[in-house]
Amino acid sequence: MTKRLFIFALMLMAAVGMQAQSLTGTWKTTMTEGEEKMDFYFIFTQSSITIKGSVSQFDREVGTIAVSVKVPCTYTHSGNKLNMKTNPDQATLTIDKMDFIGEIAEAMKKSPELKKMIKDHVQKSMQDSKGEIVKEFPQGGELDIVSLTDTKLTLRDSTGETIHFTKVR
């Protein structure tokens, strides 16, 4: 009886361990270049992945503008290899937040269409720069899964650079 219970406990631990090592979910890392920080998310489902980049910029005279870019991808996962193929033509760019301060905020209170005009201008600029923006994202290819737990994911690209992610959902 004790032996059976022990074997059952080992099988249960193995099953829980395998389940904890799933890629499915949302993984986040923050990349820094100079003073700029960008949050990157790898959002895995069973059949696809979305790479999302979010950046927020604050100016003492203007306020805060936050934008995000989503690039859909497909992937295969075999052993410690992750092979991704991006679909940059299907990328979407979104203005997540526009909080103005000071004189600009006051001008927008008096003229709400001014905020819409600025938002439309920023959106158009983003769309015009879409190709350049998406080029900054990983372009797919094969990655090595260095480690994978239920809360941490470490990937290595072909140049040997490692990226550490934390599971957020």
Side-chain angles (χ1 to χ4, degrees), residues 37-69:
K37 287 184 180 181
M38 180 177 263
D39 291 331
F40 272 98
Y41 299 86
F42 277 18
I43 306 163
F44 285 93
T45 67
Q46 291 296 327
S47 60
S48 67
I49 177 176
T50 299
I51 301 174
K52 177 182 176 184
S54 297
V55 65
S56 179
Q57 293 194 329
F58 173 76
D59 183 288
R60 282 184 252 156
E61 295 178 14
V62 177
T64 302
I65 296 178
V67 297
S68 62
V69 181

Side-chain angles (χ1 to χ4, degrees), residues 59-153:
D59 183 288
R60 282 184 252 156
E61 295 178 14
V62 177
T64 302
I65 296 178
V67 297
S68 62
V69 181
K70 289 183 180 178
V71 180
C73 310
T74 56
Y75 76 96
T76 57
H77 173 216
S78 178
N80 70 335
K81 300 292 183 190
L82 177 65
N83 198 326
M84 297 186 339
K85 182 178 183 306
T86 61
N87 297 310
D89 295 341
Q90 297 175 14
T92 57
L93 294 89
T94 308
I95 299 171
D96 299 322
K97 178 180 179 181
M98 289 180 71
D99 288 339
F100 296 104
I101 57 176
E103 292 177 13
I104 296 173
E106 291 301 317
M108 288 188 191
K109 283 181 187 174
K110 294 176 185 171
S111 176
E113 56 274 355
L114 180 61
K115 184 172 186 174
K116 182 184 179 335
M117 185 180 80
I118 291 173
K119 185 175 182 176
D120 290 347
H121 178 72
V122 171
Q123 188 73 44
K124 182 179 180 333
S125 294
M126 286 173 44
Q127 287 300 327
D128 291 347
S129 303
K130 181 178 172 177
E132 290 299 313
I133 293 169
V134 171
K135 200 184 300 183
E136 296 297 318
F137 276 65
Q139 298 301 305
E142 189 173 87
L143 299 169
D144 292 323
I145 300 173
V146 177
S147 67
L148 173 61
T149 68
D150 59 343
T151 60
K152 301 286 182 191
L153 169 63

Side-chain angles (χ1 to χ4, degrees), residues 5 12-13 17-18 24 33 47 54 60 83 103 112 125 141 167:
L5 186 59
L12 184 61
M13 287 184 346
M18 288 189 318
T24 303
E33 191 172 307
S47 60
S54 297
R60 282 184 252 156
N83 198 326
E103 292 177 13
S125 294
K167 193 167 195 175

